[in-house]
Amino acid sequence: MESGRRRARSQHSHSISAALWGSAHYHGRPPNWLVAEGMAVGVVGAAAIAGPGVAGTLIGSTVLQTGEAGMVVALGLVIFLLCLRAGRAFLGPIAVLGMCWAVAAPKATNDVLLRWGGEVSSVVVTSVVPEMGETTERHYCSVRHLDGTPVSGRIWRGCTAATVPGDRIGLVHDPHGRVPPRGITASGHDGEPLAESLAIGLALATLSAVAVVRSYHLGPPAQALSR
C-alpha cells in the first residue's frame, strides 16, 4: 500500500515536472536530429519575428517598423510550441523575448544601415531643448546642413548641455532616407543598442530550441516519438 502511494506521488511529481520543463526522456544526450530540429525552430522563429520589422525599415514602412506584426508572429511561435507540448516554464519567457525582439529588430536594422551604409556630415545646431526623462535629462538639438537645408526631426546623440545654437556637431544619415538621421557622440557610433538587440534575438532562438528539444519523449524500445 505504502509503495503504491510512493509510486503515485512519484508519477504525479514527474507529470508536473514534464508539464513545466517538457517530458525530455532520453537515454544519454538528445539525438542529433532532435537538436537540429530545435535549432531550426529557434532560428526560423526568431527570423520570422524580425522579418516584418526589418522589411518595414528597408522599404520605409512606418506601420511595419512598429513591431506589431512581429508580435503577432511571436504569438504564433508560442502557440506552435504549446502544440508541441513544450514546457510551460519556457513559454512565458519566450513570449516576452519575442515581443522585445519584434520591437528591437527594426532598431537593430536602423543601426546596421547607419553604421555600414550611412554618410557622415557636419551640421549646424539651430536650437537646443532639454527634456527630463525617467532617470536623466536629455538634450535634443534641431540642426541644419551647412547649405542651410533643415534636417527633419531632432537628434540627441552628440547634443549635450554644453551645446549651443551655432555649434557644429556630427551627423550620420542614410542617403536613401530609409531611417532617421542620428547624431554622433564624441566616441563615434554607439554599439550598445545593436549588441543588446542581437542578444535578445539570440536568447529567443536559444530558449526556443531548448523548449523544442525538451518537449520530446523518446521511448527506449524503438526511440519512437511519444506524446
Side-chain angles (χ1 to χ4, degrees):
M1 177 73 71
E2 185 62 28
S3 63
R5 289 176 180 171
R6 279 201 220 97
R7 192 181 306 112
R9 282 196 296 267
S10 176
Q11 291 175 348
H12 180 66
S13 175
H14 177 74
S15 63
I16 293 177
S17 177
L20 284 175
W21 304 105
S23 53
H25 179 73
Y26 320 114
H27 289 276
R29 63 182 297 277
N32 292 335
W33 65 264
L34 181 53
V35 174
E37 181 177 328
M39 292 176 62
V41 170
V43 171
V44 172
I49 292 171
V54 172
T57 301
L58 294 177
I59 66 177
S61 170
T62 54
V63 175
L64 292 177
Q65 287 182 48
T66 61
E68 293 180 359
M71 292 181 186
V72 174
V73 180
L75 179 59
L77 174 62
V78 172
I79 294 174
F80 173 76
L81 293 174
L82 187 61
C83 293
L84 283 183
R85 297 185 182 177
R88 303 303 186 268
F90 292 106
L91 299 183
I94 288 173
V96 173
L97 287 172
M99 299 295 179
C100 293
W101 178 230
V103 175
K107 296 179 180 179
T109 307
N110 288 354
D111 288 342
V112 169
L113 289 177
L114 291 177
R115 182 180 294 270
W116 285 286
E119 295 182 354
V120 177
S121 61
S122 180
V123 293
V124 179
V125 176
T126 57
S127 66
V128 182
V129 179
E131 291 186 7
M132 180 60 69
E134 295 181 359
T135 56
T136 59
E137 186 179 56
R138 179 176 287 181
H139 294 76
Y140 289 87
C141 288
S142 296
V143 298
R144 62 174 173 81
H145 293 290
L146 299 183
D147 62 2
T149 306
V151 177
S152 61
R154 299 182 299 172
I155 61 174
W156 62 268
R157 287 183 176 85
C159 185
T160 67
T163 305
V164 296
D167 287 349
R168 290 189 181 186
I169 59 178
L171 183 80
V172 58
H173 68 280
D174 176 27
H176 303 289
R178 293 168 294 185
V179 298
R182 178 177 299 171
I184 300 176
T185 62
S187 58
H189 291 289
D190 184 6
E192 284 190 13
L194 177 59
E196 291 174 358
S197 298
L198 295 179
I200 293 173
L202 180 61
L204 172 64
T206 302
L207 200 58
S208 299
V210 173
V212 171
V213 172
R214 289 195 57 85
S215 70
Y216 281 79
H217 181 109
L218 299 179
Q223 295 288 296
L225 180 62
S226 136
R227 294 294 183 185

